[in-house]
Amino acid sequence: MKKYQKISILGAALLLSAAGFSQTNATIFSMEPDRYPSSEYLEFKNLVCDVQNVYQFEDDSSLAKVSNETSISHKFFEFIGLYKNSIYGQFIGQKFILNRDTGKYKFKDFGNDGFVNTVIDVGSTKQSYKVISTSSGGYVHTQYIQVDVYQKNGDMNFRIMDSDILFTGNCQLG
């Protein structure tokens, strides 16, 4: 478990330093951070997202696909290592709303509503929407959210990285 904590802390530090660097450059070049030319700006308040896949990082840094199935065939796939049984499987197929202004989301027993959320990019026709969330207290917990709002087919890919769990799926403008 300590290995995962170190990886999570390192990943969060890299993401936060990149966010700080991009904000600093925007200030240096007299650009307003997180704003785009009107031709690139997308007008939306919320994103409605649907979790389609959940993955868990293993001790060897590989990803194991999490399943919410309990059928015999999925038990066999789990036995040979194609799937992993995890409590996070319950989120497959669930929807949640992501607020563009605050970066907050919550569904069932999972979310970032108790975190300090920093929207590092509001997204545009050329850039993804990005949020870094950090908890407070003795043990800092981080999440990284990215939604590819520039995708034109109506379904926008999203990723939420939370410790050793990766959620993926699609969002639509809400």
PDB file of all heavy atoms in Angstrom, residues 45-76:
ATOM      1  N   LYS A  45     -22.648  24.333 -18.669  1.00  0.00           N
ATOM      2  CA  LYS A  45     -22.611  24.486 -17.219  1.00  0.00           C
ATOM      3  C   LYS A  45     -22.219  23.167 -16.547  1.00  0.00           C
ATOM      4  O   LYS A  45     -21.415  23.147 -15.641  1.00  0.00           O
ATOM      5  CB  LYS A  45     -23.988  24.952 -16.716  1.00  0.00           C
ATOM      6  CG  LYS A  45     -24.125  25.051 -15.229  1.00  0.00           C
ATOM      7  CD  LYS A  45     -23.484  26.300 -14.709  1.00  0.00           C
ATOM      8  CE  LYS A  45     -23.811  26.445 -13.233  1.00  0.00           C
ATOM      9  NZ  LYS A  45     -22.837  27.175 -12.513  1.00  0.00           N
ATOM     10  N   ASN A  46     -22.804  22.078 -17.011  1.00  0.00           N
ATOM     11  CA  ASN A  46     -22.560  20.769 -16.412  1.00  0.00           C
ATOM     12  C   ASN A  46     -22.268  19.734 -17.487  1.00  0.00           C
ATOM     13  O   ASN A  46     -22.637  19.907 -18.651  1.00  0.00           O
ATOM     14  CB  ASN A  46     -23.786  20.295 -15.622  1.00  0.00           C
ATOM     15  CG  ASN A  46     -24.067  21.154 -14.420  1.00  0.00           C
ATOM     16  OD1 ASN A  46     -23.156  21.502 -13.674  1.00  0.00           O
ATOM     17  ND2 ASN A  46     -25.325  21.516 -14.233  1.00  0.00           N
ATOM     18  N   LEU A  47     -21.631  18.673 -17.060  1.00  0.00           N
ATOM     19  CA  LEU A  47     -21.421  17.505 -17.902  1.00  0.00           C
ATOM     20  C   LEU A  47     -22.120  16.328 -17.224  1.00  0.00           C
ATOM     21  O   LEU A  47     -21.986  16.142 -16.010  1.00  0.00           O
ATOM     22  CB  LEU A  47     -19.933  17.210 -18.046  1.00  0.00           C
ATOM     23  CG  LEU A  47     -19.124  18.267 -18.781  1.00  0.00           C
ATOM     24  CD1 LEU A  47     -17.638  18.082 -18.525  1.00  0.00           C
ATOM     25  CD2 LEU A  47     -19.416  18.205 -20.274  1.00  0.00           C
ATOM     26  N   VAL A  48     -22.863  15.563 -17.983  1.00  0.00           N
ATOM     27  CA  VAL A  48     -23.507  14.354 -17.470  1.00  0.00           C
ATOM     28  C   VAL A  48     -22.658  13.187 -17.954  1.00  0.00           C
ATOM     29  O   VAL A  48     -22.505  12.976 -19.159  1.00  0.00           O
ATOM     30  CB  VAL A  48     -24.960  14.224 -17.974  1.00  0.00           C
ATOM     31  CG1 VAL A  48     -25.582  12.948 -17.445  1.00  0.00           C
ATOM     32  CG2 VAL A  48     -25.777  15.442 -17.567  1.00  0.00           C
ATOM     33  N   CYS A  49     -22.092  12.453 -17.003  1.00  0.00           N
ATOM     34  CA  CYS A  49     -21.112  11.413 -17.343  1.00  0.00           C
ATOM     35  C   CYS A  49     -21.614  10.033 -16.941  1.00  0.00           C
ATOM     36  O   CYS A  49     -22.338   9.877 -15.960  1.00  0.00           O
ATOM     37  CB  CYS A  49     -19.789  11.710 -16.642  1.00  0.00           C
ATOM     38  SG  CYS A  49     -19.111  13.339 -17.048  1.00  0.00           S
ATOM     39  N   ASP A  50     -21.186   9.046 -17.700  1.00  0.00           N
ATOM     40  CA  ASP A  50     -21.571   7.660 -17.505  1.00  0.00           C
ATOM     41  C   ASP A  50     -20.298   6.818 -17.384  1.00  0.00           C
ATOM     42  O   ASP A  50     -19.476   6.799 -18.306  1.00  0.00           O
ATOM     43  CB  ASP A  50     -22.404   7.201 -18.708  1.00  0.00           C
ATOM     44  CG  ASP A  50     -22.837   5.757 -18.625  1.00  0.00           C
ATOM     45  OD1 ASP A  50     -23.053   5.251 -17.506  1.00  0.00           O
ATOM     46  OD2 ASP A  50     -22.969   5.120 -19.692  1.00  0.00           O
ATOM     47  N   VAL A  51     -20.134   6.142 -16.251  1.00  0.00           N
ATOM     48  CA  VAL A  51     -18.958   5.295 -16.034  1.00  0.00           C
ATOM     49  C   VAL A  51     -19.129   4.010 -16.847  1.00  0.00           C
ATOM     50  O   VAL A  51     -20.105   3.281 -16.682  1.00  0.00           O
ATOM     51  CB  VAL A  51     -18.774   4.950 -14.540  1.00  0.00           C
ATOM     52  CG1 VAL A  51     -17.581   4.011 -14.341  1.00  0.00           C
ATOM     53  CG2 VAL A  51     -18.619   6.204 -13.711  1.00  0.00           C
ATOM     54  N   GLN A  52     -18.172   3.743 -17.726  1.00  0.00           N
ATOM     55  CA  GLN A  52     -18.237   2.543 -18.556  1.00  0.00           C
ATOM     56  C   GLN A  52     -17.190   1.504 -18.175  1.00  0.00           C
ATOM     57  O   GLN A  52     -17.397   0.318 -18.384  1.00  0.00           O
ATOM     58  CB  GLN A  52     -18.101   2.924 -20.023  1.00  0.00           C
ATOM     59  CG  GLN A  52     -19.274   3.757 -20.492  1.00  0.00           C
ATOM     60  CD  GLN A  52     -19.113   4.234 -21.913  1.00  0.00           C
ATOM     61  OE1 GLN A  52     -18.045   4.150 -22.511  1.00  0.00           O
ATOM     62  NE2 GLN A  52     -20.190   4.769 -22.466  1.00  0.00           N
ATOM     63  N   ASN A  53     -16.065   1.959 -17.632  1.00  0.00           N
ATOM     64  CA  ASN A  53     -14.993   1.037 -17.256  1.00  0.00           C
ATOM     65  C   ASN A  53     -14.338   1.503 -15.966  1.00  0.00           C
ATOM     66  O   ASN A  53     -14.248   2.703 -15.713  1.00  0.00           O
ATOM     67  CB  ASN A  53     -13.904   0.986 -18.338  1.00  0.00           C
ATOM     68  CG  ASN A  53     -14.426   0.472 -19.653  1.00  0.00           C
ATOM     69  OD1 ASN A  53     -14.784  -0.678 -19.773  1.00  0.00           O
ATOM     70  ND2 ASN A  53     -14.481   1.357 -20.640  1.00  0.00           N
ATOM     71  N   VAL A  54     -13.870   0.537 -15.205  1.00  0.00           N
ATOM     72  CA  VAL A  54     -13.081   0.822 -14.008  1.00  0.00           C
ATOM     73  C   VAL A  54     -11.865  -0.094 -14.057  1.00  0.00           C
ATOM     74  O   VAL A  54     -11.986  -1.284 -14.363  1.00  0.00           O
ATOM     75  CB  VAL A  54     -13.884   0.566 -12.712  1.00  0.00           C
ATOM     76  CG1 VAL A  54     -13.026   0.830 -11.489  1.00  0.00           C
ATOM     77  CG2 VAL A  54     -15.147   1.429 -12.676  1.00  0.00           C
ATOM     78  N   TYR A  55     -10.706   0.494 -13.780  1.00  0.00           N
ATOM     79  CA  TYR A  55      -9.456  -0.261 -13.770  1.00  0.00           C
ATOM     80  C   TYR A  55      -8.758  -0.028 -12.438  1.00  0.00           C
ATOM     81  O   TYR A  55      -8.900   1.024 -11.830  1.00  0.00           O
ATOM     82  CB  TYR A  55      -8.524   0.203 -14.896  1.00  0.00           C
ATOM     83  CG  TYR A  55      -9.126   0.057 -16.268  1.00  0.00           C
ATOM     84  CD1 TYR A  55      -9.844   1.108 -16.835  1.00  0.00           C
ATOM     85  CD2 TYR A  55      -9.000  -1.121 -16.988  1.00  0.00           C
ATOM     86  CE1 TYR A  55     -10.411   0.990 -18.094  1.00  0.00           C
ATOM     87  CE2 TYR A  55      -9.553  -1.246 -18.249  1.00  0.00           C
ATOM     88  CZ  TYR A  55     -10.262  -0.192 -18.797  1.00  0.00           C
ATOM     89  OH  TYR A  55     -10.819  -0.321 -20.039  1.00  0.00           O
ATOM     90  N   GLN A  56      -7.994  -1.016 -12.014  1.00  0.00           N
ATOM     91  CA  GLN A  56      -7.224  -0.886 -10.781  1.00  0.00           C
ATOM     92  C   GLN A  56      -5.762  -1.211 -11.075  1.00  0.00           C
ATOM     93  O   GLN A  56      -5.460  -2.199 -11.745  1.00  0.00           O
ATOM     94  CB  GLN A  56      -7.764  -1.824  -9.706  1.00  0.00           C
ATOM     95  CG  GLN A  56      -7.104  -1.624  -8.367  1.00  0.00           C
ATOM     96  CD  GLN A  56      -7.869  -2.314  -7.241  1.00  0.00           C
ATOM     97  OE1 GLN A  56      -8.921  -2.893  -7.444  1.00  0.00           O
ATOM     98  NE2 GLN A  56      -7.329  -2.236  -6.057  1.00  0.00           N
ATOM     99  N   PHE A  57      -4.869  -0.345 -10.577  1.00  0.00           N
ATOM    100  CA  PHE A  57      -3.441  -0.592 -10.741  1.00  0.00           C
ATOM    101  C   PHE A  57      -3.010  -1.722  -9.817  1.00  0.00           C
ATOM    102  O   PHE A  57      -3.367  -1.755  -8.644  1.00  0.00           O
ATOM    103  CB  PHE A  57      -2.623   0.668 -10.418  1.00  0.00           C
ATOM    104  CG  PHE A  57      -2.687   1.708 -11.490  1.00  0.00           C
ATOM    105  CD1 PHE A  57      -3.617   2.722 -11.443  1.00  0.00           C
ATOM    106  CD2 PHE A  57      -1.815   1.649 -12.569  1.00  0.00           C
ATOM    107  CE1 PHE A  57      -3.681   3.677 -12.438  1.00  0.00           C
ATOM    108  CE2 PHE A  57      -1.867   2.603 -13.568  1.00  0.00           C
ATOM    109  CZ  PHE A  57      -2.809   3.624 -13.503  1.00  0.00           C
ATOM    110  N   GLU A  58      -2.223  -2.624 -10.347  1.00  0.00           N
ATOM    111  CA  GLU A  58      -1.699  -3.748  -9.587  1.00  0.00           C
ATOM    112  C   GLU A  58      -0.316  -3.400  -9.024  1.00  0.00           C
ATOM    113  O   GLU A  58       0.254  -2.365  -9.365  1.00  0.00           O
ATOM    114  CB  GLU A  58      -1.605  -4.984 -10.493  1.00  0.00           C
ATOM    115  CG  GLU A  58      -2.952  -5.435 -11.031  1.00  0.00           C
ATOM    116  CD  GLU A  58      -3.883  -5.922  -9.939  1.00  0.00           C
ATOM    117  OE1 GLU A  58      -3.485  -6.796  -9.153  1.00  0.00           O
ATOM    118  OE2 GLU A  58      -5.015  -5.406  -9.860  1.00  0.00           O
ATOM    119  N   ASP A  59       0.230  -4.275  -8.198  1.00  0.00           N
ATOM    120  CA  ASP A  59       1.544  -4.044  -7.602  1.00  0.00           C
ATOM    121  C   ASP A  59       2.653  -3.888  -8.640  1.00  0.00           C
ATOM    122  O   ASP A  59       3.636  -3.198  -8.401  1.00  0.00           O
ATOM    123  CB  ASP A  59       1.913  -5.191  -6.649  1.00  0.00           C
ATOM    124  CG  ASP A  59       1.091  -5.167  -5.381  1.00  0.00           C
ATOM    125  OD1 ASP A  59       0.557  -4.081  -5.035  1.00  0.00           O
ATOM    126  OD2 ASP A  59       0.967  -6.213  -4.730  1.00  0.00           O
ATOM    127  N   ASP A  60       2.488  -4.524  -9.811  1.00  0.00           N
ATOM    128  CA  ASP A  60       3.507  -4.431 -10.861  1.00  0.00           C
ATOM    129  C   ASP A  60       3.230  -3.286 -11.840  1.00  0.00           C
ATOM    130  O   ASP A  60       3.785  -3.227 -12.918  1.00  0.00           O
ATOM    131  CB  ASP A  60       3.629  -5.756 -11.616  1.00  0.00           C
ATOM    132  CG  ASP A  60       2.362  -6.117 -12.377  1.00  0.00           C
ATOM    133  OD1 ASP A  60       1.345  -5.386 -12.268  1.00  0.00           O
ATOM    134  OD2 ASP A  60       2.382  -7.145 -13.091  1.00  0.00           O
ATOM    135  N   SER A  61       2.334  -2.374 -11.471  1.00  0.00           N
ATOM    136  CA  SER A  61       1.930  -1.202 -12.255  1.00  0.00           C
ATOM    137  C   SER A  61       1.080  -1.534 -13.475  1.00  0.00           C
ATOM    138  O   SER A  61       0.796  -0.659 -14.287  1.00  0.00           O
ATOM    139  CB  SER A  61       3.130  -0.367 -12.701  1.00  0.00           C
ATOM    140  OG  SER A  61       3.786   0.146 -11.582  1.00  0.00           O
ATOM    141  N   SER A  62       0.665  -2.772 -13.628  1.00  0.00           N
ATOM    142  CA  SER A  62      -0.255  -3.109 -14.709  1.00  0.00           C
ATOM    143  C   SER A  62      -1.674  -2.726 -14.281  1.00  0.00           C
ATOM    144  O   SER A  62      -1.939  -2.493 -13.103  1.00  0.00           O
ATOM    145  CB  SER A  62      -0.185  -4.602 -15.030  1.00  0.00           C
ATOM    146  OG  SER A  62      -0.619  -5.368 -13.922  1.00  0.00           O
ATOM    147  N   LEU A  63      -2.563  -2.648 -15.257  1.00  0.00           N
ATOM    148  CA  LEU A  63      -3.961  -2.324 -14.982  1.00  0.00           C
ATOM    149  C   LEU A  63      -4.805  -3.585 -15.083  1.00  0.00           C
ATOM    150  O   LEU A  63      -4.679  -4.342 -16.040  1.00  0.00           O
ATOM    151  CB  LEU A  63      -4.488  -1.306 -15.995  1.00  0.00           C
ATOM    152  CG  LEU A  63      -4.126   0.143 -15.783  1.00  0.00           C
ATOM    153  CD1 LEU A  63      -4.602   0.981 -16.960  1.00  0.00           C
ATOM    154  CD2 LEU A  63      -4.717   0.669 -14.499  1.00  0.00           C
ATOM    155  N   ALA A  64      -5.666  -3.780 -14.096  1.00  0.00           N
ATOM    156  CA  ALA A  64      -6.617  -4.890 -14.131  1.00  0.00           C
ATOM    157  C   ALA A  64      -8.008  -4.297 -14.291  1.00  0.00           C
ATOM    158  O   ALA A  64      -8.380  -3.361 -13.572  1.00  0.00           O
ATOM    159  CB  ALA A  64      -6.541  -5.702 -12.849  1.00  0.00           C
ATOM    160  N   LYS A  65      -8.768  -4.814 -15.238  1.00  0.00           N
ATOM    161  CA  LYS A  65     -10.128  -4.323 -15.450  1.00  0.00           C
ATOM    162  C   LYS A  65     -11.018  -4.849 -14.339  1.00  0.00           C
ATOM    163  O   LYS A  65     -11.013  -6.038 -14.029  1.00  0.00           O
ATOM    164  CB  LYS A  65     -10.646  -4.763 -16.816  1.00  0.00           C
ATOM    165  CG  LYS A  65     -11.960  -4.132 -17.170  1.00  0.00           C
ATOM    166  CD  LYS A  65     -12.311  -4.342 -18.612  1.00  0.00           C
ATOM    167  CE  LYS A  65     -13.584  -3.564 -18.918  1.00  0.00           C
ATOM    168  NZ  LYS A  65     -13.885  -3.563 -20.318  1.00  0.00           N
ATOM    169  N   VAL A  66     -11.785  -3.947 -13.754  1.00  0.00           N
ATOM    170  CA  VAL A  66     -12.694  -4.304 -12.668  1.00  0.00           C
ATOM    171  C   VAL A  66     -14.043  -4.663 -13.273  1.00  0.00           C
ATOM    172  O   VAL A  66     -14.500  -4.030 -14.220  1.00  0.00           O
ATOM    173  CB  VAL A  66     -12.844  -3.127 -11.672  1.00  0.00           C
ATOM    174  CG1 VAL A  66     -13.913  -3.403 -10.645  1.00  0.00           C
ATOM    175  CG2 VAL A  66     -11.507  -2.852 -10.999  1.00  0.00           C
ATOM    176  N   SER A  67     -14.672  -5.674 -12.724  1.00  0.00           N
ATOM    177  CA  SER A  67     -15.967  -6.119 -13.215  1.00  0.00           C
ATOM    178  C   SER A  67     -17.016  -5.959 -12.123  1.00  0.00           C
ATOM    179  O   SER A  67     -16.713  -6.051 -10.936  1.00  0.00           O
ATOM    180  CB  SER A  67     -15.878  -7.587 -13.635  1.00  0.00           C
ATOM    181  OG  SER A  67     -17.148  -8.072 -13.985  1.00  0.00           O
ATOM    182  N   ASN A  68     -18.268  -5.753 -12.541  1.00  0.00           N
ATOM    183  CA  ASN A  68     -19.363  -5.744 -11.587  1.00  0.00           C
ATOM    184  C   ASN A  68     -20.252  -6.970 -11.777  1.00  0.00           C
ATOM    185  O   ASN A  68     -21.332  -7.054 -11.243  1.00  0.00           O
ATOM    186  CB  ASN A  68     -20.187  -4.456 -11.691  1.00  0.00           C
ATOM    187  CG  ASN A  68     -20.855  -4.288 -13.040  1.00  0.00           C
ATOM    188  OD1 ASN A  68     -20.591  -5.038 -13.981  1.00  0.00           O
ATOM    189  ND2 ASN A  68     -21.724  -3.299 -13.156  1.00  0.00           N
ATOM    190  N   GLU A  69     -19.767  -7.896 -12.558  1.00  0.00           N
ATOM    191  CA  GLU A  69     -20.505  -9.128 -12.841  1.00  0.00           C
ATOM    192  C   GLU A  69     -20.166 -10.196 -11.804  1.00  0.00           C
ATOM    193  O   GLU A  69     -19.050 -10.257 -11.294  1.00  0.00           O
ATOM    194  CB  GLU A  69     -20.132  -9.666 -14.226  1.00  0.00           C
ATOM    195  CG  GLU A  69     -20.482  -8.732 -15.358  1.00  0.00           C
ATOM    196  CD  GLU A  69     -21.955  -8.738 -15.691  1.00  0.00           C
ATOM    197  OE1 GLU A  69     -22.618  -9.770 -15.475  1.00  0.00           O
ATOM    198  OE2 GLU A  69     -22.438  -7.701 -16.153  1.00  0.00           O
ATOM    199  N   THR A  70     -21.131 -11.053 -11.526  1.00  0.00           N
ATOM    200  CA  THR A  70     -20.899 -12.166 -10.603  1.00  0.00           C
ATOM    201  C   THR A  70     -21.167 -13.507 -11.277  1.00  0.00           C
ATOM    202  O   THR A  70     -21.232 -14.527 -10.611  1.00  0.00           O
ATOM    203  CB  THR A  70     -21.803 -12.042  -9.361  1.00  0.00           C
ATOM    204  OG1 THR A  70     -23.169 -11.977  -9.788  1.00  0.00           O
ATOM    205  CG2 THR A  70     -21.447 -10.809  -8.551  1.00  0.00           C
ATOM    206  N   SER A  71     -21.289 -13.491 -12.602  1.00  0.00           N
ATOM    207  CA  SER A  71     -21.573 -14.731 -13.318  1.00  0.00           C
ATOM    208  C   SER A  71     -20.370 -15.676 -13.261  1.00  0.00           C
ATOM    209  O   SER A  71     -19.244 -15.266 -12.974  1.00  0.00           O
ATOM    210  CB  SER A  71     -21.927 -14.429 -14.776  1.00  0.00           C
ATOM    211  OG  SER A  71     -20.801 -13.916 -15.451  1.00  0.00           O
ATOM    212  N   ILE A  72     -20.616 -16.916 -13.578  1.00  0.00           N
ATOM    213  CA  ILE A  72     -19.555 -17.932 -13.567  1.00  0.00           C
ATOM    214  C   ILE A  72     -18.481 -17.584 -14.596  1.00  0.00           C
ATOM    215  O   ILE A  72     -17.288 -17.739 -14.333  1.00  0.00           O
ATOM    216  CB  ILE A  72     -20.141 -19.342 -13.821  1.00  0.00           C
ATOM    217  CG1 ILE A  72     -21.000 -19.753 -12.623  1.00  0.00           C
ATOM    218  CG2 ILE A  72     -19.042 -20.357 -14.077  1.00  0.00           C
ATOM    219  CD1 ILE A  72     -21.734 -21.049 -12.782  1.00  0.00           C
ATOM    220  N   SER A  73     -18.892 -17.070 -15.773  1.00  0.00           N
ATOM    221  CA  SER A  73     -17.900 -16.732 -16.794  1.00  0.00           C
ATOM    222  C   SER A  73     -16.979 -15.614 -16.305  1.00  0.00           C
ATOM    223  O   SER A  73     -15.775 -15.657 -16.545  1.00  0.00           O
ATOM    224  CB  SER A  73     -18.578 -16.340 -18.111  1.00  0.00           C
ATOM    225  OG  SER A  73     -19.376 -15.194 -17.943  1.00  0.00           O
ATOM    226  N   HIS A  74     -17.525 -14.623 -15.596  1.00  0.00           N
ATOM    227  CA  HIS A  74     -16.681 -13.553 -15.073  1.00  0.00           C
ATOM    228  C   HIS A  74     -15.795 -14.060 -13.933  1.00  0.00           C
ATOM    229  O   HIS A  74     -14.677 -13.579 -13.766  1.00  0.00           O
ATOM    230  CB  HIS A  74     -17.514 -12.356 -14.632  1.00  0.00           C
ATOM    231  CG  HIS A  74     -17.774 -11.406 -15.745  1.00  0.00           C
ATOM    232  ND1 HIS A  74     -18.744 -11.617 -16.681  1.00  0.00           N
ATOM    233  CD2 HIS A  74     -17.158 -10.253 -16.082  1.00  0.00           C
ATOM    234  CE1 HIS A  74     -18.731 -10.631 -17.548  1.00  0.00           C
ATOM    235  NE2 HIS A  74     -17.777  -9.790 -17.215  1.00  0.00           N
ATOM    236  N   LYS A  75     -16.282 -15.017 -13.175  1.00  0.00           N
ATOM    237  CA  LYS A  75     -15.437 -15.626 -12.136  1.00  0.00           C
ATOM    238  C   LYS A  75     -14.253 -16.336 -12.789  1.00  0.00           C
ATOM    239  O   LYS A  75     -13.130 -16.260 -12.295  1.00  0.00           O
ATOM    240  CB  LYS A  75     -16.238 -16.621 -11.287  1.00  0.00           C
ATOM    241  CG  LYS A  75     -17.330 -15.999 -10.459  1.00  0.00           C
ATOM    242  CD  LYS A  75     -16.771 -15.380  -9.228  1.00  0.00           C
ATOM    243  CE  LYS A  75     -17.902 -14.857  -8.366  1.00  0.00           C
ATOM    244  NZ  LYS A  75     -17.485 -13.957  -7.362  1.00  0.00           N
ATOM    245  N   PHE A  76     -14.504 -17.005 -13.922  1.00  0.00           N
ATOM    246  CA  PHE A  76     -13.423 -17.656 -14.649  1.00  0.00           C
ATOM    247  C   PHE A  76     -12.436 -16.616 -15.178  1.00  0.00           C
ATOM    248  O   PHE A  76     -11.225 -16.771 -15.032  1.00  0.00           O
ATOM    249  CB  PHE A  76     -13.985 -18.500 -15.805  1.00  0.00           C
ATOM    250  CG  PHE A  76     -12.914 -19.070 -16.692  1.00  0.00           C
ATOM    251  CD1 PHE A  76     -12.126 -20.138 -16.255  1.00  0.00           C
ATOM    252  CD2 PHE A  76     -12.665 -18.533 -17.945  1.00  0.00           C
ATOM    253  CE1 PHE A  76     -11.120 -20.648 -17.062  1.00  0.00           C
ATOM    254  CE2 PHE A  76     -11.670 -19.045 -18.758  1.00  0.00           C
ATOM    255  CZ  PHE A  76     -10.896 -20.108 -18.309  1.00  0.00           C
TER     256      PHE A  76
END
